Amino acid sequence: MTAAGARQTRPQWTSTLYLLLFLLVLEPCFVRSAEFDPYKILGVGRRASQAEIKKAYKTLAREWHPDKNKDPSAEDMFIKISKSYEILSNEERRANFDRYGQMEENQPFGQSPHQGFRSFHHSFYFDESFFQFPRSREFADSKYLLHHAQFNSEVLPDSFRRPYLIKVTSEWCFACIHIEPVWKETVEELEPLGVGIGIIDLGYERRLSNQLGAHRAPSIIGLVNGRVSFFHQAVVREHLRQFIEDLLPSTLVQKISDSNYLSFLEAWQVENKPSVLLFDQVPVVPLLYKLTAFAFRDYVRFGYVDQGATHNSRLLRQFNINTYAPTMLLFKEDTQNPVDIIQARGMKKQIMDEFVTNNKFLQVPRLVNQQLFDELCPIKQFHRRRKFCVLLITDQDQAFAPGNKAFLDFAAANKKDVLRFAYVYQQHQQPLCQALLRNQATLSPQVVLLERRTQAGKVLFRSVGGGWNGSEEDKYRLYGEIELLQKDPSYLSSDATLPELNNEMAPIFIIRWLNAVYDYFLQVYDELLYSNWREMMPILSLIFSALFILFGTVIIQAFSEPGENKPQKPKSKEQPPSTDPGLTLGDTRGTQQKDFVEVTELTDITYTSNLVRLRPGHINVVLVLSDASKNVLLRKFAKEVFSFSGTQTLHFSFLNLDKHRHWMPALLRSARPGDLEDEQDFSDFTGHVLALNGHKRYFCLFRPVFTGDESGGDSSLSRSHSREDGAASKRGASRATSIELHHKLDRLGLWMERLLEGTLPRVHVPAWPSLDPHSSTIKADTAGESFCFSNLYTSKSPLKEIFETNI
C-alpha cells in the first residue's frame, strides 16, 4: 500500500473507531431499554390511567410478594414491579420515561441520556461521575421512601404518637455512601422499638425537602409532634439513638421510689388516668419504655422503679417483684392491688403496646373531654358492636363521695363488654348535664343510660328514677334497668342532641402561648447555630432591615434641627374672665355645643364644688323640683337650656325639695333686705330656677308662669316692677299652680337670654345656706376673700344624669 493510500485509510479508520466507541457507550442504554419496560411489567398500555396502573400494581404485588410467593425469582420480580409503579405513578417520571426511554434513579428530572453523554464527552478526565456507576436502590430502602402527599397525610399526624428519623439523600452523593452502614445499624436497632423511619430523595422530592428545610444531602431529620429538628453531630449509632431520646419530652416517665409511689398512684383522681410502673435493673429509663409512654401519654401515666437502688426495697417487697426480669404493674382506682401484671426477660414493643391498650381507661373514668367520650362510648355502627354508656351525673363535693364510691363498686361487679361506666361533674359539664336532665335543677346525683347514634351528638337515653345515693336499693334498681336495656334496646325512650364536652385538661392560654414562644425561639436558635449562609439569608436580611430602620431614624433625628429652634405658631391668648359674668357668658355663646345636657344633682358631696368653690365668672343654673315632678321637669329643663349648654362658664344642676326642703326658704331669708319684694308668695318652689354665682354670692330667680300670660313675659323679680306688675305676677303664680308641670318652664329660654345679657336683677346673700339643716352655715370672710367650710366634703364626684334631646 502506498503512502497516499495509507493517508486516505487513516481518517476512515479513525471515524470508524469513534463510531464504535459511541455505540459502545450507548449500548447499555439500549440494552436496559429493551430489558426494562414498566408498561410491560405492569401489563398496562401507554395511555393507561393512574387508577388502572394502581390496580395492576396491587394485583401483581400480591402475587409476587416474597413472603407469599416462594419462587426464587419472586424477589427480583417484586423489585421490578415496585420500580415500575414508582416510575409510572409519578407524572413527571412517567413523562421523562416516555420522552427519553429508560428513567434511571440517578438521572435528574429533565435530563436525557444524550445530555449525560455530552457531559461525559466534555469532562472525561475531571468529572468524578464518570467513575460512579448507577446503583439500584435496595429493596429494604425503597419501603422507607417518603412522598409529599404521604408525608402530610400519614407521617406528620403519626409523629404525635411516635418519633421519626428521616434521612435526606440523593444520587451521586459520596457522603451518603459513607454513612450508609451506620444508618442501617441504627434502623435495625430503633425500628423494633417503635421509631418511624423515612428516606427522602432530593432529586425526586424537591417539594417535600423544601417543606422540611432540607437543602443538602446527606441530612438527618428528627420529627416529633410535627416539629422538625436537624441532627448536627457525627453520624454514629450512639449519637443517633441519643438524638431520638432528646427529642422526646422529659416529663414522660417519672422516677418512683419508696417516698413518692403513693402520691404517684393516688394521682388518678386528678389526672383521670391509670398508672403503670416498670421495674427494671438498669438505673436509666429504657428507650423502649419512653417510646411506649410517648405513644400512650394521653391515656396512661408512667413511672419507673430502679430495682438496684437501695431506697426502693419497701416498694419491691410490697408488690413481691421478681428482680431477675423486668416487670410491669398497672393500677387503676385501687392503689394497693394492680389490675394487670406482665413479666418477661425480653420486653417487646408489641407486648407492651397490647398491655397498655387493654387498660387505657379507668374502671369508671370521668368524662373530661370530647375525645374520651368518643372512645369510651363509641357511636353505634352495627348491632353486635353497640355500646351502652352508664353515666353518673354527680359533683366533686365530699358529700357525694360515698355515692361515687358505691357506683365504682357496682361497675367493678358488673363488667360486661357491652357496658361502659363513666361519671361526670355537673359543675364542669353543665351543657351536657342540662341536655340529659331536660334543664331540671337537681341536687342529688342521677344515673343516665344512653347510646350514641350520630357524630352530630344525637343520643338515645333514659334516666333511672329515684336518683342515686349508693344504697342497695339503688344498686338493685340500676341492675334491673340494665337488664331491661340489654333485652330491648328500644327501652331508651328519650332522645337529645348533646353539645361538645368542655376540655377540662386543656392548659390555660398563657401556658400554651409560652410553650409556642419557647418552641419558636428554640427553632430560631437552632437555625442560626447550624444553618448555612443560604438558609440564613432571610433571617439576616430581616435583622439588617430592622437595624437600618432603627439607626436611620436615630441619625435623621440627630442631624435635624432642634425642635425648640423651629418657629412656633403664636397661641391665641385666652380672654381673662370678666368681673361681669353676664358679659363673659355672652362672649362664649359661639363655642361648640354638645348633643346632650349634663345635669348634676346638688347633694352634700357636690354642693361645695358646684356652688361654694365655683370659679370666678362661672354660674350654676339650678332647677328646683320634687320626686313627683322630677322626670317631666328635667326633660323640659334640658330642652329649654340645650342651646346654652355649649357655654363653658355655665353649669346645670337640680335640687330635690323632698331631700332638702329647708334650703330654699333659708336662701330667701338670707337675702339682703330690699332685694326681694314682700308680696312674693313662695308657697310652692317646684319649677323655680336659680342662677347662682358662688364667687360673688348672688343669684337670679326664675318663677314659672302661664305660656299665654302676657303680663308674665319673664318671671324674674325686679325692684323696678310696679306694684301692678307684682300683683299680676302674683295672680299668674296662683294660676300656675293649676297648669300641667311641663308648662312651668315655657319661658325659661327667654329668661336665660336675659341672664346672658346681664339684665336680670340680682339678689345678694351674705353666705350660702347648708344643705344639711343640722350643719353649720357656710360663712365667708369678706375681709380676706377667703372661705371657711364646715361639715362639707371637697371631693368632686357628681352624679350625672344625661338627657339626650332631639332639637
Side-chain angles (χ1 to χ4, degrees), residues 580-583 585 610-611 614-622 647-653 690-695 698-700 751-752 755-756 762:
D580 188 354
L583 298 176
L585 295 173
N610 287 0
L611 176 60
L614 206 60
R615 289 178 294 176
H618 288 245
I619 292 179
N620 195 349
V621 181
V622 181
T647 305
Q648 299 295 330
T649 55
L650 283 183
H651 308 275
F652 301 96
S653 305
L690 301 170
L692 307 175
N693 190 321
H695 180 67
Y698 70 82
F699 67 91
C700 300
W751 183 81
M752 288 293 298
L755 174 67
L756 296 179
R762 302 174 181 177

Side-chain angles (χ1 to χ4, degrees), residues 532-686:
N532 55 23
W533 283 101
R534 184 182 67 175
E535 297 172 357
M536 292 176 60
M537 283 305 296
I539 299 178
L540 293 177
S541 176
L542 178 63
I543 293 176
F544 282 115
S545 299
L547 292 177
F548 176 78
I549 295 175
L550 177 62
F551 286 102
T553 305
V554 174
I555 292 173
I556 292 175
Q557 292 181 354
F559 285 95
S560 62
E561 296 181 359
E564 56 270 14
N565 295 335
K566 294 181 180 180
Q568 299 180 356
K569 295 182 179 180
K571 296 183 179 180
S572 57
K573 296 183 179 179
E574 298 182 359
Q575 183 179 358
S578 174
T579 56
D580 188 354
L583 298 176
T584 303
L585 295 173
D587 296 337
T588 58
R589 292 192 58 181
T591 57
Q592 184 179 2
Q593 296 183 358
K594 296 180 292 186
D595 57 351
F596 60 89
V597 179
E598 297 181 4
V599 184
T600 306
E601 181 179 5
L602 286 182
T603 62
D604 294 337
I605 299 176
T606 62
Y607 185 73
T608 302
S609 58
N610 287 0
L611 176 60
V612 179
R613 287 191 174 182
L614 206 60
R615 289 178 294 176
H618 288 245
I619 292 179
N620 195 349
V621 181
V622 181
L623 170 67
V624 182
L625 48 79
S626 61
D627 288 335
S629 61
K630 180 177 180 180
N631 294 333
V632 177
L633 289 181
L634 277 177
R635 293 182 183 276
K636 182 67 173 179
F637 179 71
K639 182 177 180 181
E640 292 293 332
V641 302
F642 174 75
S643 58
F644 308 94
S645 60
T647 305
Q648 299 295 330
T649 55
L650 283 183
H651 308 275
F652 301 96
S653 305
F654 70 91
L655 180 72
N656 195 331
L657 289 176
D658 295 332
K659 300 178 181 178
H660 310 286
R661 184 172 298 276
H662 74 286
W663 188 82
M664 277 293 292
L667 177 66
L668 298 179
R669 286 195 300 268
S670 64
R672 293 183 182 178
D675 288 353
L676 287 175
E677 296 186 4
D678 298 335
E679 297 182 6
Q680 299 296 332
D681 183 12
F682 295 104
S683 60
D684 182 15
F685 295 103
T686 302

Side-chain angles (χ1 to χ4, degrees), residues 232-243:
H232 300 291
Q233 299 179 359
V235 184
V236 184
R237 187 176 62 177
E238 291 76 12
H239 291 173
L240 291 173
R241 178 189 177 97
Q242 188 63 38
F243 173 63

